[in-house]
Each structure stands twice: as structure tokens, then as C-alpha cells.
Amino acid sequence: MTEPAPHMTPEQFRQHGHEVVDWIADYWSRIGEFPVRSQVSPGDVRATLPTQAPEQGEPFSAVLADLERVVLPGTTHWQHPGFFGYFPANTSGPSVLGDLVSAGLGVQGMSWVTSPAATELEQHVMDWFADLLGLPASFRSTGTGGGVVQDSSSGANLVALLAALHRASTGATVRHGVDPDRATVYVSAETHSSMEKAVRIAGLGSDAVRIVEVDGDLAMRPAALAARLERDVARGFTPVLVCATVGTTSTTAIDPLAELGPICQKYGVWLHVDAAYAGVSGIVPELRELQAGVEWADSYTTDAHKWLLTGFDATLFWVADRAALTGALAILPEYLRNAATDAGAVVDFRDWQVPLGRRFRALKLWFVLRWYGAEGLRAHIRSHVAMAQQLAAWADADERFDVVAPHPLALVCLRPRWSDEVDADVATMTLLERLNDGGEVFLTHTNVGGRAVLRVAIGSPATTPAHVERMWALLRENHEFLATDFAAAAAELEAEREAQRTAAREAAERTISEAEAETAAAEPADVEPADVEPAEESFSPSATG
């Protein structure tokens, strides 16, 4: 019988754990030396790996060596100071250490009884955050609702919809499923795609989605929502949920919660607020007004793992009525029964999410809050907002760029200007690729008003004003290079076309000349008239005889 492989002893773990922490610390210290975006081609990473799994265990030094050889070349460095793409995916020392402790404890926190600290610390931290963000009292664990840490805002959007369906059907969905032909869900064209995905997963199908018109700032129009709700109710549909967004993915547009809330209440429809990126900005008092009207929300989600120095996954999700959420999701097989649950004295977070199992995510949030404090987190948000406003001011003053959408937070959308002879979208995407290929910075794009624009999302923990200034310099330099290149190409093309036109004219002139010469050659020579007058013709009868 083969002997089992020896486990890593606590002393070996101590030794190699120090090596891993040293490796991470070294990585953070040299992260600016890497190209932001991975330079590998599809399949390159797998090509460096053996075709078969190892039969025998390997020394830990070999694993660390392969981090450098295999993993780093295939990594896009989200913590890089030149990372300006998508939205930030922050992490920090306290977050990593909190995750390490969570992994070391190995807690499965599905129920209160499986580790009371995993549940009660999470409840408490979520109450802290509700206070820090200025959320309504109903979202506290001491009220009718409460908060829970989800895996993502996509998951939060799904459970919000399931809770809304449960409430709209007065519980019938648990017994009979959904009525896909009658339920309706309301979004705008700017709403994150995860909401439509949630509609599909819930069994409603995409036909249930109603797209509400937006205004010039790309925010949902309350009057348009009211009109759609009124029309659907008159036609016998059941409006289930309205998804309002605070900080859309494309441009950080903000839907007017204070106006949408009363409309939702009038029609008895669940108002879910997706503030995945921007919600954490509420920790800064002067930015809290962006979420005015949040007290109308039935549920709310924001991601600490985007902009609040906490590693993925750490979505903060609240409901005002936890009974609707647990009513949709709770199920209690015999093997999970216990006295605390049966007594109704505790919260079991397995009933607040789709999966049964759950990690001790609250630990890293607790570590981050304890290390930075509220003021440290506010300073972090404020610094990025200030950098973004400086970038927008530079772009406003530069005739080569337009700022194309409001930018109250740390995302600025820029549309480069090009000459009329150039396909603007192709030129903009060419500029984007030149920037990303250069390795110093990484940006992404979106579409606003049917045209391609560049998104500059400032949020990496290592980014300083000097990095933003360098990115701005690269934008201008590459724009200037391409504009000059496009102008030269256009001039060359125009010269080629002019040469073709000239050649065509000359060819036409030659053809005409040749035709005239041929015509002249074909005509008979001129003959001088004779001096003898011609005889007059006379009529003779014999001529007809």
C-alpha cells in the first residue's frame, strides 16, 4: 500500500509562509517594472506546463520558481500604478492578511452554529458599513433587514430579483415557480448586463426586460419609467423589480433615486440599487449626495473589492426586508437542523445567498477597517477623485480631446478628436492599442452616443498624481503621432488620387487627340473645282422610251 504524502507541518508552513509573504511583498515593490497588460498569446501559459499532473510531490522552491516562470508573464497587473482599465480591483496588505487568516481557519460559515464568529462579525461589520455609507436604518441587522457579504454584485443582483419575485408573488414562486409571461423587470440601456443575466437565470427570459430611456447624462428618466409601468400594468403585466444604477459601468452615470423611489412605491415594485463601483464613495460625506434617495431602496449592493482596498470577493449587500430574501432562498434539510436555528435566535447566512457554503469573508473587511479606519478609507477615495478631476480639467483645456460624460467620481471618459478624413472610431481604437501595447498603462473603452471613447478609471492603490500625469502625456504623444501619421497617409492618398486623376485626364486628352487624328486621316483630300462649267442636263423623250 502506498504511503500517503506527508502533510505540511506547522513549522514547514511557517517557513514557506514567510517565503510567500516575502514573494508578495517583493512583487508589490517591483510591480511598476512589469508591462501592465500581459504580453502572452493564447496558449502560451499552458505551453509552459507539463502535460501530466505530478506523480510525486515537489519542493516548495519549485512552486515559487514557477510563479516567476509561468504565472507572472501571463498576469495582467491590476495593482499596477498604470492600470486605468475597467474599474479598479483593489487589494491591500490588511486584506491579504485577513484572507490568509480566513484560509487558515478554514471556516465553512453556512450557519451560525458552524462558526458563530463568522456570522456575528459579518453582521457587525455590515452594520458599521451601513453607518459609514449613510444607508437607511432599515438596512441594519437591528431593523427589518440587514447586510450580508456576497461573492459579487452580479450575485447580489440575482438574489435581489429572487426576493422581489417572492414578494410580488406573495410566496407563490417557491411553490409553483415564476410566471415568465407576466413578470416584468425594468432597466436602462446603461444597466449592467448582470441584471439581464439574473432575469434569465430566474427563468423569466429576456423578453421580461423593459429598457427605460435615459437622458442626456445617460441616467434613467423617471417619466419614462412611470409611463412604462403604467402601460404594463394596464396590459396585465406584474412589474417585479426596477434596477437603478449609481455609477454605471460605461460612464458612471447616476440614476435619480429620489425621483425613481416614489414611482416604484406607487406601483409596488421592488427598487434595487446597483452601486457596485460607486457605492463605497458614500463613505465620503461630500460625495454622499450622489446617492440621494437611497432610503427608497428595497435592496442595495456595492463592491468593497473595487475601490475600498479589499481583495475580491467582497460585495456588500443589504435588504430592507430580510423576510422576502430568506423566503425566496431558505431551505432546511434535516442534516442542517440545530437548536439555535430552530429557536429562531440566530441568522443563518446560507439563507441569504444562492450557494450553501460560504467563506469567512468578513475577516478581511474587518482587517481593512481596523488598519485604515474610516478616515484612511475616505482619504483613499478622495485622492482618486481629485486625480480624475485634474485629468478632466487637462482634457477640457486641450483641443485634441473631449470629455464626453459627467465625471463626479474617478472615471473620466475621453473622446479623441480626429480630422474629418479619418474614421474616428478606428483611430480611437488604434490609439488605445498603441497605449496598451506600450506597457506603461492599460486603458479600456466604451461606446457613448454611438462612438468609441476611452475610459480612464483611476483607482489602483499605487497610482499617484505623477502616474496620471504620465498617462496623460502618453495619450497626447500617441494622439499627436497618429494624427500626424493619418495626415501624412491622407496626403499621400490624396496625392495618389490626384496623380490618378491627372493620368486619367492625360489619357482622355490623348484619346481625343488620337481620335481627331484618325478622323482627319479618314476624310478625302480637297479637289480644286474645274474651270469648265458642267453641261446642263436635258429631258429627252427617248430616254424613257
Side-chain angles (χ1 to χ4, degrees):
M1 181 176 177
T2 304
E3 289 293 322
H7 293 296
M8 184 180 282
T9 67
E11 282 308 312
Q12 288 173 319
F13 175 78
R14 188 189 314 279
Q15 174 193 339
H16 299 316
H18 282 300
E19 292 171 2
V20 170
V21 170
D22 285 344
W23 188 91
I24 294 172
D26 289 342
Y27 167 70
W28 285 344
S29 68
R30 61 192 169 113
I31 192 170
E33 301 169 12
F34 297 101
V36 187
R37 186 182 66 181
S38 173
Q39 306 294 302
V40 303
S41 299
D44 283 357
V45 175
R46 295 195 67 177
T48 65
L49 298 168
T51 55
Q52 302 294 325
E55 283 291 331
Q56 304 297 326
E58 302 176 55
F60 198 75
S61 58
V63 180
L64 285 179
D66 279 351
L67 280 178
E68 298 283 341
R69 183 181 68 89
V70 178
V71 175
L72 280 186
T75 297
T76 290
H77 302 281
W78 285 67
Q79 311 306 313
H80 195 291
F83 188 96
F84 299 103
Y86 305 109
F87 277 134
N90 284 178
T91 192
S92 63
S95 174
V96 172
L97 294 174
D99 253 340
L100 179 62
V101 174
S102 176
L105 291 173
V107 164
Q108 217 287 31
M110 56 190 175
S111 302
W112 178 88
V113 73
T114 62
S115 275
T119 296
E120 295 192 18
L121 181 65
E122 186 162 329
Q123 288 179 293
H124 210 72
V125 167
M126 291 300 291
D127 283 350
W128 277 355
F129 272 114
D131 287 336
L132 291 172
L133 299 177
L135 297 178
S138 58
F139 286 167
R140 275 45 164 207
S141 63
T142 52
T144 56
V148 60
V149 185
Q150 300 279 3
D151 59 354
S152 65
S153 279
S154 295
N157 289 348
L158 173 59
V159 297
L161 176 59
L162 297 176
L165 282 164
H166 184 270
R167 188 179 77 176
S169 69
T170 60
T173 53
V174 172
R175 299 184 302 276
H176 309 298
V178 297
D179 184 355
D181 295 328
R182 307 316 308 163
T184 49
V185 174
Y186 301 80
V187 303
S188 82
E190 302 299 310
T191 302
H192 194 272
S193 59
S194 62
M195 198 69 240
E196 182 175 351
K197 188 173 184 178
V199 169
R200 294 182 188 180
I201 295 170
L204 297 179
S206 296
D207 286 348
V209 177
R210 303 291 192 264
I211 300 178
V212 181
E213 294 78 6
V214 296
D215 60 21
D217 290 337
L218 304 179
M220 185 182 290
R221 293 179 53 236
L225 173 64
R228 286 188 174 273
L229 286 166
E230 182 178 1
R231 183 165 60 249
D232 281 341
V233 169
R235 294 163 60 198
F237 290 102
T238 302
V240 171
L241 177 142
V242 171
C243 183
T245 306
V246 174
T248 59
T249 302
S250 189
T251 66
T252 63
I254 296 172
D255 293 336
L257 304 183
E259 297 174 66
L260 298 174
I263 296 170
C264 292
Q265 186 180 69
K266 175 182 176 181
Y267 288 93
V269 61
W270 184 289
L271 177 58
H272 173 60
V273 177
D274 182 347
Y277 162 69
V280 296
S281 70
I283 201 169
V284 180
E286 63 267 26
L287 296 176
R288 206 168 289 159
E289 186 61 27
L290 296 173
Q291 304 186 75
V294 70
E295 65 273 9
W296 293 98
D298 291 287
S299 55
Y300 179 96
T301 182
T302 188
D303 292 337
H305 59 244
K306 280 190 171 70
W307 199 14
L308 210 62
L309 296 165
T310 307
F312 187 84
D313 51 354
T315 289
L316 314 180
F317 174 70
W318 289 270
V319 288
D321 178 11
R322 60 178 171 266
L325 182 64
T326 58
L329 297 172
I331 188 166
L332 185 60
E334 184 61 33
Y335 50 78
L336 291 180
R337 298 186 71 91
N338 62 84
T341 296
D342 289 346
V346 297
V347 165
D348 292 326
F349 277 136
R350 61 185 170 78
D351 296 332
W352 293 51
Q353 60 180 28
V354 172
L356 170 64
R358 60 195 329 269
R359 295 186 299 110
F360 197 168
R361 297 189 188 97
L363 265 181
K364 61 188 173 187
L365 288 161
W366 191 47
F367 275 42
V368 167
L369 272 173
R370 297 287 299 277
W371 177 266
Y372 288 99
E375 272 306 315
L377 296 177
R378 291 184 189 114
H380 174 70
I381 298 290
R382 284 179 175 131
S383 68
H384 291 151
V385 173
M387 287 184 246
Q389 303 318 307
Q390 178 62 75
L391 173 63
W394 288 334
D396 273 330
D398 194 307
E399 62 182 11
R400 293 166 292 190
F401 294 89
D402 290 316
V403 179
V404 298
H407 45 87
L409 297 164
L411 174 74
V412 182
C413 291
L414 302 176
R415 180 184 292 127
R417 294 182 184 178
W418 307 101
S419 64
D420 293 339
E421 296 79 21
V422 172
D423 184 316
D425 285 352
V426 171
T428 296
M429 296 306 292
T430 302
L431 173 59
L432 177 66
E433 285 306 307
R434 279 186 60 85
L435 287 165
N436 291 344
D437 288 346
E440 283 192 67
V441 298
F442 177 73
L443 279 65
T444 50
H445 76 285
T446 189
N447 188 293
V448 176
R451 295 174 61 185
V453 302
L454 305 178
R455 296 172 73 261
V456 183
I458 298 170
S460 171
T463 300
T464 67
H467 294 110
V468 178
E469 190 169 359
R470 176 58 180 161
M471 182 274 302
W472 174 236
L474 288 170
L475 260 178
R476 288 177 295 154
E477 290 169 10
N478 282 274
H479 182 280
E480 189 69 26
F481 173 85
L482 287 175
T484 302
D485 191 50
F486 292 148
E492 184 178 336
L493 180 61
E494 181 57 33
E496 183 179 329
R497 288 173 176 168
E498 181 58 34
Q500 291 173 347
R501 287 193 292 267
T502 300
R505 282 197 305 270
E506 291 174 350
E509 289 170 0
R510 282 196 303 272
T511 300
I512 293 170
S513 297
E514 290 169 359
E516 289 175 345
E518 290 175 2
T519 301
E523 290 178 354
D526 291 338
V527 179
E528 290 294 329
D531 291 336
V532 180
E533 292 183 5
E536 293 183 359
E537 290 185 358
S538 61
F539 176 76
S540 170
S542 63
T544 61

